[in-house]
Every structure is written in structure tokens, then in C-alpha cells.
Amino acid sequence: GQLEVSLTRLGTDYVDYYLLHNLGSTRTDYFERWGMWEWAKQMRAEGKIRHLGFSFHDNAEVLEQILEQHAEDAEFIQLQINYADWEDGSVQSRKVWEVSRSYGKPVVIMEPVKGGMLANPPQPVADILRATDPSRTPVEWALRFAMNTEGLIACLSGMSSIEQMRQNLQTLRGLTPLTQLELDTLAAARRKLAELIAVPCTGCHYCMEDCPVSMPISNIMESLNRAALYGTEKGMRGYGFATREGVRASDCIQCGQCEAACPQHINIIEQLETAADLFE
């Protein structure tokens, strides 16, 4: 199975932290029906897994339901937490974190810079951050918020260069608690970003895995955001690149597979119609 492949590739006999991946919505039931919890607990009993947890994309009520059933099984939870999603009605970063802590579960954070969006926020958001501290980069603001989360095991920040890794490490080395001024600044940045952003897509690509027409959904969603944040021309340029293989937003057959798979609960079909109207 996948665990054995992982152990072979890692050259080890066990994994310290092992996750059941992407619980929430209709996905949760598959782990029950296919006996994944029982299998994972057996692997833990055999010593191949030291600590068992799960990653989660859904609301606080659903997380509560899972933990009511598996509080004794799960030792940690991986959550999408960043300052932009902290009060978001769909992602509910704060609420799911509160549920996790109420059960005494430590957290691993994913998406601390929201798929890279918080590394290069639109100018009005960047201006809010810069006004409080001109020396701090947007990435530092985002990582400091995530790293100050109580109950944290690890913060998973996607990096694509050595320089980004060094920046992340430097932020961690100089970590200090957020002041009230800094919290107020991030709250203002959050409100401004919510005004500007069109689609809360993080580029996970789950929507695209079984698309019958191979629609480049994530890239089209990014184009809509580029148009909303930086102007229609930049959105159009991104859309042209996204659809270079010939599949356009108007080719959607509205089967709904993508919306069922989306962790962010985006109304993808409607957004594709918007993209077709705007860019085609």
C-alpha cells in the first residue's frame, strides 16, 4: 500500500506523523466505509505510525462530528489557517482551530500564505501592512500570524527556492508574539482582502482530478482573481495561458464533479460562466 511505498522511499521503518488525507463533506464517509481508521490504528499499534491524525477542509460543525467519533483515535489535526481565512465563513479557520483545541488536539497548519496569495497581496492590502511596519514583508506578516497559533506542531509553508526557505527560517528564528497593533493591522488587511478577492481558490487542483473535459479550473479561478485584484488585462493574460491547450471555460458541461471535490466549497460552475463572459 501507500504506507509501505512511503517507508521504502523514506528509508525508514516508521513515520512520526501520519495523516488520513482531506476529511470533510462527503469525503468523510469513505474513510469509515473503507476501514481506513481501523487500518491506520493497526499500523500505529504495529509501530509503523507513531502519531495518527487527519487533514480537514470543512466547517467547525463537521469537525465536531468527526471528533465526537474519533477523539481517541486522532492525535492531531491539519488545518487551513491564515490571517485571510481566520474569520472566513467557509474555511472558518478560527472556528475549526477552536474545536480542535477544545478536544485538546494540537494542529499542523497548511496554507499559511493561502496558496501564495498573501506573499504578493494586492496594493491596498500591502499598503495596510506597510503602514504599520515598512521593514516587514507580506510573507513575514502571514507566517508570523500562523506561527503564533496556540497549540501548533508545525507550519507547512510551500517554498520553491532556497531564498524562500531562508526567509521562512529567519521569520521563525525572530518570532515574537503579535502585539495588539499588529493584530489590528492584520484584521484590517483581512477586511480589505475580503472586499477585493473574487474566488477563494487555493490551487489545490482537487477539482480537476476527475473533470471529464480536463478543464484547467484552478488556473481559470486564478485568472478571475487576477482580474479582480490587478485589473481585467492581467486576468485576460492569465486566462490565455490557462486555456492554451484549447479547453475554455465555456466548454464546461456542468456535471458538478468539481464542486463536490472542492475543499473551499466554491460555486465553480457559476465562476466558469463568469470567466467565459469576461474573457471569451
Side-chain angles (χ1 to χ4, degrees):
Q2 289 184 348
L3 176 58
E4 296 301 329
V5 171
S6 296
L7 293 176
T8 299
R9 289 178 175 175
L10 291 169
T12 184
D13 297 324
Y14 66 92
V15 174
D16 282 308
Y17 291 88
Y18 195 84
L19 296 126
L20 298 182
H21 175 57
N22 197 16
L23 275 72
S25 186
T26 57
R27 302 178 300 276
T28 302
D29 185 54
Y30 291 114
F31 293 88
E32 306 294 340
R33 285 193 285 143
W34 294 346
M36 294 301 296
W37 280 103
E38 295 308 315
W39 169 83
K41 288 190 288 183
Q42 180 60 39
M43 294 301 98
R44 182 170 59 186
E46 294 178 12
K48 294 182 178 181
I49 296 172
R50 294 290 175 89
H51 301 286
L52 172 62
F54 62 93
S55 60
F56 177 81
H57 284 285
D58 210 322
N59 61 44
E61 182 180 355
V62 173
L63 180 58
E64 183 93 42
Q65 293 169 358
I66 293 172
L67 287 175
E68 284 176 358
Q69 188 171 357
H70 293 288
E72 298 300 317
D73 303 329
E75 299 172 69
F76 67 99
I77 307 171
Q78 183 168 305
L79 300 172
Q80 178 172 323
I81 292 179
N82 56 67
Y83 74 79
D85 291 327
W86 190 242
E87 301 293 350
D88 183 82
S90 175
V91 181
Q92 297 189 354
S93 283
R94 177 179 59 81
K95 290 183 178 180
V96 293
W97 169 76
E98 288 174 346
V99 170
S100 301
R101 298 306 294 151
S102 72
Y103 279 81
K105 305 301 179 185
V107 300
V108 172
I109 288 179
M110 56 181 159
E111 301 287 357
V113 291
K114 197 173 173 65
M117 177 179 293
L118 302 183
N120 183 30
Q123 197 60 48
V125 176
D127 288 343
I128 290 171
L129 302 176
R130 189 177 299 108
T132 295
D133 189 342
S135 68
R136 185 170 293 149
T137 68
V139 172
E140 288 179 84
W141 278 102
L143 291 179
R144 287 187 69 240
F145 178 86
M147 290 174 177
N148 270 281
T149 303
E150 190 268 332
L152 181 65
I153 292 177
C155 178
L156 306 179
S157 172
M159 294 167 278
S160 55
S161 69
I162 294 295
E163 183 54 39
Q164 289 177 3
M165 183 187 71
R166 287 174 179 152
Q167 183 181 35
N168 285 10
L169 291 173
Q170 187 60 38
T171 300
L172 178 59
R173 290 192 186 101
L175 190 65
T176 55
L178 292 168
T179 66
Q180 188 59 52
L181 174 60
E182 290 171 329
L183 289 170
D184 291 344
T185 297
L186 287 169
R190 178 187 309 124
R191 290 191 295 270
K192 178 56 69 175
L193 191 61
E195 292 176 13
L196 298 172
I197 191 172
V199 190
C201 176
T202 64
C204 69
H205 305 302
Y206 297 154
C207 58
M208 299 160 57
E209 291 179 358
D210 296 310
C211 176
V213 298
S214 300
M215 180 76 65
I217 298 170
S218 296
N219 304 83
I220 294 174
M221 297 302 107
E222 182 183 0
S223 299
L224 285 170
N225 279 333
R226 283 181 176 274
L229 298 174
Y230 308 111
T232 303
E233 184 179 342
K234 287 197 174 181
M236 183 76 75
R237 194 177 307 150
Y239 182 76
F241 182 78
T243 58
R244 65 193 184 281
E245 300 297 328
V247 180
R248 304 191 303 169
S250 57
D251 294 322
C252 174
I253 63 173
Q254 302 189 357
C255 66
Q257 178 277 331
C258 55
E259 294 189 355
C262 179
Q264 311 301 328
H265 311 292
I266 297 169
N267 53 344
I268 295 174
I269 294 173
E270 181 180 334
Q271 295 296 345
L272 289 173
E273 290 177 340
T274 299
D277 292 339
L278 188 61
F279 301 131
E280 294 181 12

